[in-house]
Amino acid sequence: MLLLRYMDAKKIICLLFILITLPGISKAQLIGFRIAANSGMLISEFGSSDVPHPDAIANTPAQSTERFTPQLSYGFEGEVLFQISEHEFFGVEVDYSTLKGFNDNPPFYNYYLTPYFNQYQDKYIQSAIKYNTTLINLAVNFKHFFLPESNFQPFVKLTGVVAFVGTDLSYKDSPDAGLETDVLYARGTSNSDQKKWPAFHGGFGIGFSYDITDKLAFQADATATMFNSGIINGVPNFTYSVSDDLLKYNRRLSLTTQISAGLVYYIEVETGRRGGGGKVDPNLPFYLKKR
């Protein structure tokens, strides 16, 4: 089933790439190549909270909370930008990003009572925990630039993403020397035999581009996305059904943010015209940048 979902995601990405890049190449005056560093964090999970199991309540210390404290994390990304009008670009992006956080006083999660949690069923240790989530994103972006004739060009951004999620949930500080390399949950990492979880997310952002030269620009943006994955914080969500007296998987949406900053190198392409020479029509996109 996971393999089929993975293959479907690959087909979607290939179709989007063909639909976007071919029109862009046939009409665009400029193509941009962007490389950037990024940093992201998990803001919150949405949806109905997990109803705690009676045994989870009994094992949860006073004052504990499900809230994680985000930690600074880093990643990198690359994007090819295709101009479709004077103000707009489509982009195809690949990025690698990480999300990290810790909880010094976590509750006893329902997950620990499910058959999927099999490492510490008889000797769970109540201690600070942390998560380390890695995302491999394949994104399609739409950017609308204001003031294209200016060196400073603010823009708004829409993005749609297929992500492949891997995560580790482990103790923040090893509570016992024998547990140093053990994890409480893992998927899509070296600590698990399971593949990364494919998921979709989308959102919007704001940013700006500043022309350093005619062909080189500095570009930065901040993006917020709603993530259709319940393991971003490393904890699979299970809610207790009182009437059925069992635990059910509870898919929760997650809100994440990411900032990125990097450089864009533009090249001009002569497409849509046969033969060489001739004057450049001043009404064509980015005529004002050809100086």
Side-chain angles (χ1 to χ4, degrees), residues 78-151:
E79 182 181 17
V80 183
L81 294 160
F82 302 95
Q83 185 191 14
I84 58 173
S85 77
E86 182 180 3
H87 290 269
E88 280 117 16
F89 277 82
F90 264 119
V92 179
E93 176 185 325
V94 177
D95 86 46
Y96 172 87
S97 57
T98 58
L99 302 171
K100 297 181 179 181
F102 66 89
N103 187 334
D104 285 333
N105 190 18
F108 189 98
Y109 291 100
N110 286 341
Y111 166 68
Y112 302 151
L113 298 170
T114 68
Y116 306 100
F117 181 75
N118 52 27
Q119 297 193 32
Y120 304 106
Q121 288 280 16
D122 300 323
K123 54 177 183 177
Y124 173 77
I125 298 174
Q126 185 67 39
S127 181
I129 58 177
K130 64 181 179 180
Y131 68 86
N132 184 8
T133 298
T134 59
L135 306 173
I136 298 175
N137 295 307
L138 303 176
V140 175
N141 302 319
F142 171 80
K143 297 179 181 179
H144 178 88
F145 288 80
F146 303 94
L147 308 175
E149 71 282 357
S150 172
N151 283 344

Side-chain angles (χ1 to χ4, degrees), residues 231-252:
I231 60 170
I232 299 300
N233 66 354
V235 184
N237 294 296
F238 286 86
T239 188
Y240 177 63
S241 174
V242 179
S243 58
D244 298 327
D245 190 25
L246 54 80
L247 290 168
K248 299 179 179 179
Y249 179 68
N250 184 18
R251 180 178 291 276
R252 303 271 294 279

Side-chain angles (χ1 to χ4, degrees), residues 36-40 73-77 95-98 135 258-261:
N38 63 50
S39 180
S73 61
Y74 301 98
F76 53 89
E77 58 195 56
D95 86 46
Y96 172 87
S97 57
T98 58
L135 306 173
Q258 181 169 289
I259 60 173
S260 68

Side-chain angles (χ1 to χ4, degrees), residues 30-41:
L30 292 179
I31 296 179
F33 299 90
R34 183 178 69 91
I35 56 172
N38 63 50
S39 180
M41 70 171 60

